[in-house]
Amino acid sequence: MTAPALAARARLFAALGDPARLAMVERVAAGPVSVSALARPLSLSLAAAVQHIQILERTGLLRTEKQGRVRLCRLEPQALRTVEDWLTERRTAWNSAFDRLADLLTQPEPSRPE
Amino acid sequence: MTAPALAARARLFAALGDPARLAMVERVAAGPVSVSALARPLSLSLAAAVQHIQILERTGLLRTEKQGRVRLCRLEPQALRTVEDWLTERRTAWNSAFDRLADLLTQPEPSRPE
DNA sequence: AAAATACTTAAATTTTCACTTGACTATCCA
DNA sequence: TGGATAGTCAAGTGAAAATTTAAGTATTTT
């Protein structure tokens, strides 16, 4: 599995970037939920909730399955791992940023920025 | 330091949810950069770049400092740790989701969803 | 001192988003 | 069977967001 392109990662972050959707993800992380159980605590209409859920589904954050007249939503942990991987990539960089800072404090030779 | 409220975390994700800003964060993670060095590879006007940078600054993802006529942008690793912390919180939950799945496979007593 | 560089600011425009409304379908329960 | 429940779909609306434009300031550089 190859790392998603920047645009795809941005869509993932954007999906988490709405308070309603973030709350939904948190709720779904605790276990499977129906659409109305996601909508109710957020005072969202069902129609609005469905639209958020579609976005979360498209970005791979959750997967749904219809059982009778109820649609069950489950977390797709894979997507959150993508976020983890991205952080890991950055961590290397920002650690070396700390290293450079440490260098500055010991030997006064700043690396010239672009 | 207390965990940011849901709304604040959503704003953080939203800041990363724009392709231009995500690219900027990746670039800044590699070391300090000027505003134009951030704008150029993205084919953004300076004015547009400045506005993105302001958003990244407000959400705490970076900090800037003017040196002469150049404004230098640096990563603020603290903000990315907030994302890490959020993932850690969810990980517990989604691991126990896996546990429940394992339970299902061994003993056929599904936990009823809401 | 003059020209070029590197932003800054505000206002106008375009585009995208979240949400609503209203009508409709499928399932469950009494 | 009939009514309530759970969700679906397609427009339409309003507000927020991203980008452009245009004019201005501060700092080099020559």
Side-chain angles (χ1 to χ4, degrees):
Chain A
M1 190 197 308
T2 154
L6 181 131
R9 277 185 310 225
R11 270 192 298 277
L12 182 55
F13 282 122
L16 296 170
D18 178 273
R21 286 194 296 263
L22 188 55
M24 284 178 164
V25 169
E26 295 186 357
R27 173 63 191 81
V28 151
V33 228
S34 69
V35 174
S36 7
L38 285 175
R40 211 171 309 130
L42 300 169
S43 313
L44 281 179
S45 72
L46 265 187
V50 165
Q51 288 173 45
H52 282 303
I53 289 167
Q54 281 169 353
I55 289 169
L56 293 172
E57 229 178 332
R58 266 187 248 121
T59 56
L61 277 159
L62 50 85
R63 144 185 57 98
T64 75
E65 182 194 354
K66 196 133 190 197
Q67 291 185 0
R69 59 182 168 176
V70 169
R71 176 170 298 277
L72 271 194
C73 308
R74 298 166 193 284
L75 190 71
E76 194 67 79
Q78 196 88 324
L80 291 182
R81 290 200 211 288
T82 301
V83 178
E84 278 199 301
D85 292 347
W86 183 81
L87 282 174
T88 305
E89 285 175 50
R90 295 319 126 208
R91 182 160 29 234
T92 319
W94 90 63
N95 280 343
S96 43
F98 273 134
D99 296 348
R100 277 194 298 281
L101 178 62
D103 288 353
L104 266 172
L105 295 173
T106 48
Q107 48 157 121
E109 179 89 35
S111 61
R112 216 171 357 106
E114 262 178 45
Chain B
M1 192 192 309
T2 153
L6 182 131
R9 276 183 312 223
R11 270 192 297 278
L12 182 55
F13 282 122
L16 295 170
D18 177 275
R21 286 193 297 263
L22 188 55
M24 283 176 163
V25 168
E26 295 186 357
R27 173 63 191 83
V28 152
V33 226
S34 70
V35 174
S36 9
L38 285 175
R40 212 170 309 131
L42 300 169
S43 314
L44 280 179
S45 72
L46 226 39
V50 165
Q51 289 174 53
H52 281 303
I53 288 167
Q54 282 169 353
I55 289 169
L56 292 172
E57 229 178 332
R58 267 187 247 123
T59 57
L61 276 159
L62 50 85
R63 144 184 58 95
T64 75
E65 182 195 354
K66 195 130 190 197
Q67 291 184 0
R69 60 183 167 173
V70 169
R71 177 170 298 276
L72 270 196
C73 307
R74 298 166 194 284
L75 190 71
E76 194 67 78
Q78 196 84 330
L80 290 182
R81 290 201 211 288
T82 300
V83 178
E84 277 198 304
D85 292 346
W86 183 81
L87 282 173
T88 305
E89 285 175 48
R90 294 319 124 210
R91 183 162 27 236
T92 320
W94 92 62
N95 280 343
S96 43
F98 273 135
D99 295 347
R100 276 195 298 281
L101 178 62
D103 288 353
L104 265 172
L105 294 174
T106 48
Q107 47 156 123
E109 178 88 36
S111 62
R112 217 172 356 108
E114 259 179 50

